[in-house]
Amino acid sequence: MKLTSIAMSIFSITASMSALAEDLIIHADAALDVKTGKLIKPVTLVVDDNKISEIKRGHSTVSGDYKVIELPGHTLLPGLFDMHVHLTSDSQVHGYKRLQRTSQRAAITGVRNAKRTLEAGFTSVRNLGAVGYSDIALKHAIYDGDVPGPRIFASGPSLGVTGGHCDNNLLTHEHAVTAKGVADGPWAVRAKVRENIKFGADVIKYCATGGVLSKGTKVGAQQYTQEEMDAIVSEAHLRGLTVAAHAHGTEGIKSAIKAGVDSVEHVSFLDDEAIKLAKKHGTYFSMDIYNTEYILGEGEKAGILEESLNKERVVGARQRASFGKAVKAGVRMVFGSDAGVYPHGDNGKQFSRMVKFGMTELQALQAATITPATLLKQEQKLGSLDVGKYADVIAVKGNPLENISVMEQVSFVVKDGEIEVDKR
């Protein structure tokens, strides 16, 4: 039976590619139950086809034709989620350098970055913005087994206003270029949401405020009106998709929450009212508090405009303070790195910053496992080491509850029951 494009998109997220999966027995020093924070020590985890079929205390064998993996000194965790990446973006290509990159070249870059991301232990990502639907092409290539990479929840082109953060503002009117996702007005943004869904989007991303890396935008200024945001979210939710809103500025954050977005990205200029609204509506925050170090340290060499560097000097410290405030208030938080701004594969470096700026080690790990799975409505399939869930399993040397920096060096990765990385 031939699947429709929308059915195929849903199928590619929820179904697993089990043809290459192996039956595994994994012995390790411990496994973390991310829901309770308890360690199972020592542990045996059994994988049948592409599902976890057993997890129990102690090292034991199971009758059958299993490949046995010994991981002494290691802790097992669920495969990680990064909820804000740009796989088809290159951290060395910013500013005017980006004008030289076609969507086809971006897709090829994405192949490299997808592999690096998977090797870092991130078996699922939410790709929030890509040119030419290149992230959707990459998603299907990974699903079909053509290239290695994480499970992708893709947005396609980000929606934005004319001249706003998600438009292309690098050229003059004589060489006018408008980004694919630009739409103005309630019915125009509804049409753009429908177009993204038509071409395979799993999530809708729009820009509620200005941004750091865009030319000519004020980082805190609201872009879309409340009416336009309401229309975007209403249309996406009508079709069963979640919505992520890029929002640095205070009023834009609050307008996005009032519109009913599922997550707000960046969330730099946060106030008490925005926190109350987020808790009332159950909104998730995704705050990229590591990449400021790369932008200010390496950004000029990568082509980041001086205008953008100046904005980051203001935004970075404020965002980290807002992060701590949101954590303390109990807002639901997910791990989102904005990888692509900085090198893919370094995603795990954000864990230590999340702990430094207010989270416990367990909270940081939950933000990259069970919490994003819940946001994406995948908690029955992914996000924890439970019997019946897809076998997305990683191993790190040591105990991340005692030293979160071990998350920067992942030794072993299983995705969908298939061994992807083995650095034992």
Side-chain angles (χ1 to χ4, degrees):
M1 180 179 67
K2 187 174 182 180
L3 294 170
T4 66
S5 59
I6 293 177
M8 184 62 195
S9 176
I10 296 170
F11 182 76
S12 68
I13 297 171
T14 58
S16 55
M17 197 181 69
S18 60
L20 299 176
E22 298 183 79
D23 293 339
L24 305 172
I25 294 174
I26 304 174
H27 295 149
D29 280 14
L32 178 63
D33 182 339
V34 293
K35 292 179 287 188
T36 66
K38 294 180 179 179
L39 290 169
I40 303 170
K41 301 195 297 185
V43 68
T44 297
L45 186 146
V46 182
V47 175
D48 281 298
D49 194 11
N50 66 326
K51 300 282 184 66
I52 298 172
S53 61
E54 193 171 357
I55 183 166
K56 59 183 178 181
R57 191 178 304 277
H59 289 174
S60 60
T61 59
V62 178
S63 60
D65 187 17
Y66 288 90
K67 181 175 182 178
V68 179
I69 305 296
E70 301 289 348
L71 293 169
H74 286 76
T75 299
L76 303 182
L77 299 100
L80 305 173
F81 285 76
D82 191 332
M83 294 290 279
H84 192 130
V85 301
H86 300 279
L87 288 174
T88 58
S89 295
D90 190 326
S91 64
Q92 297 298 311
V93 181
H94 286 286
Y96 287 98
K97 291 183 178 181
R98 296 181 67 180
L99 295 175
Q100 300 174 327
R101 288 293 176 101
T102 63
S103 58
Q104 293 87 353
R105 181 66 176 87
I108 295 169
T109 297
V111 172
R112 177 197 66 192
N113 293 334
K115 184 174 186 290
R116 291 177 178 177
T117 301
L118 183 61
E119 289 173 345
F122 291 83
T123 57
S124 299
V125 300
R126 193 173 55 160
N127 201 87
L128 295 182
V131 296
Y133 299 99
S134 52
D135 56 341
I136 293 171
L138 180 60
K139 174 186 75 171
H140 287 297
I142 292 169
Y143 175 76
D144 289 339
D146 295 336
V147 297
R151 184 181 293 101
I152 299 176
F153 298 82
S155 74
S158 301
L159 276 63
V161 301
T162 299
H165 177 64
C166 290
D167 197 359
N168 184 339
N169 304 324
L170 294 171
L171 296 171
T172 70
H173 68 281
E174 293 176 335
H175 305 281
V177 175
T178 300
K180 181 68 175 174
V182 168
D184 301 302
W187 282 108
V189 297
R190 282 185 182 272
K192 189 60 65 173
V193 169
R194 292 170 183 176
E195 183 176 287
N196 277 10
I197 294 172
K198 174 181 178 179
F199 294 120
D202 311 303
V203 59
I204 298 299
K205 187 262 186 94
Y206 74 90
C207 292
T209 76
V212 171
L213 299 182
S214 51
K215 184 176 183 292
T217 70
K218 295 180 179 179
V219 71
Q222 183 168 329
Q223 295 183 164
Y224 274 125
T225 65
Q226 186 69 61
E227 186 180 12
E228 289 169 315
M229 293 193 209
D230 291 346
I232 292 169
V233 177
S234 172
E235 188 66 37
H237 284 177
L238 187 68
R239 303 290 292 276
L241 276 68
T242 56
V243 183
H246 159 109
H248 285 283
T250 310
E251 295 308 312
I253 293 167
K254 289 188 278 195
S255 291
I257 295 171
K258 291 174 183 176
V261 297
D262 299 279
S263 71
V264 183
E265 313 300 304
H266 311 301
V267 207
S268 298
F269 298 98
L270 190 61
D271 67 6
D272 291 339
E273 182 185 2
I275 288 174
K276 289 179 182 176
L277 282 169
K279 294 187 72 175
K280 176 183 176 181
H281 290 269
T283 313
Y284 294 77
F285 285 173
S286 169
M287 303 175 72
D288 49 324
I289 59 171
Y290 169 71
N291 71 16
T292 186
E293 297 169 35
Y294 181 84
I295 292 172
L296 297 180
E298 304 292 332
E300 185 177 0
K301 290 186 290 185
I304 293 179
L305 305 178
E306 183 60 31
E307 170 192 340
S308 295
L309 295 173
N310 287 333
K311 285 191 278 188
E312 183 61 34
R313 291 181 184 109
V314 174
V315 169
R318 179 64 185 272
Q319 185 191 39
R320 287 176 164 186
S322 293
F323 177 86
K325 193 172 184 178
V327 171
K328 187 175 181 180
V331 176
R332 295 196 284 188
M333 311 280 282
V334 293
F335 185 109
S337 70
D338 213 2
V341 172
Y342 73 94
H344 294 276
D346 286 349
N347 312 56
K349 291 183 178 179
Q350 180 161 289
F351 281 109
S352 63
R353 277 60 172 187
M354 294 169 82
V355 171
K356 179 179 180 180
F357 293 102
M359 281 188 169
T360 66
E361 287 81 358
L362 178 60
Q363 285 176 321
L365 294 169
Q366 289 172 331
T369 53
I370 192 61
T371 308
T374 302
L375 167 55
L376 290 170
K377 303 173 185 176
Q378 299 293 310
E379 70 273 17
Q380 299 303 314
K381 305 178 183 74
L382 300 164
S384 61
L385 299 178
D386 288 315
V387 171
K389 290 192 175 183
Y390 291 158
D392 280 22
V393 184
I394 69 168
V396 295
K397 199 162 189 177
N399 181 356
L401 296 178
E402 296 175 351
N403 178 13
I404 196 66
S405 65
V406 302
M407 298 303 296
E408 297 174 20
Q409 297 292 331
V410 174
S411 302
F412 187 78
V413 178
V414 173
K415 177 198 160 201
D416 246 352
E418 181 183 352
I419 298 173
E420 301 280 1
V421 177
D422 189 349
K423 299 179 182 178
R424 292 176 292 163

